[in-house]
Amino acid sequence: DWSSDVCSSDLAGALEVPAKDGVVLVDGTVPTPAAKDRALTLARETDGVVQVIDRVTVQRTASRARR
């Protein structure tokens, strides 16, 4: 299941993912845009999910902030 994938990745502890009636809220901060994409893809591909609400933000790092 997708929650196992999230827990074993760099997303562990970074996101809250409550769900009700097939609606999943993905909320939190992740280190990279790729991590955000992975979390949302996992949620969307889960059986029974009819809607994913994206409230994930990508953490700003010092190197990105200087650009």
Side-chain angles (χ1 to χ4, degrees):
D1 74 11
W2 84 278
S3 60
S4 298
D5 290 337
V6 169
C7 290
S8 65
S9 72
D10 63 346
L11 306 176
L15 299 174
E16 292 183 31
V17 191
K20 183 176 180 181
D21 299 326
V23 178
V24 176
L25 169 64
V26 185
D27 188 19
T29 303
V30 294
T32 65
K36 177 179 178 171
D37 291 344
R38 179 71 177 143
L40 295 173
T41 297
L42 288 169
R44 289 183 184 113
E45 292 177 350
T46 300
D47 288 342
V49 171
V50 295
Q51 180 182 5
V52 174
I53 300 169
D54 172 9
R55 292 201 182 145
V56 179
T57 57
V58 177
Q59 184 177 35
R60 278 184 73 170
T61 63
S63 62
R64 279 193 224 147
R66 283 186 245 138
R67 289 181 191 173

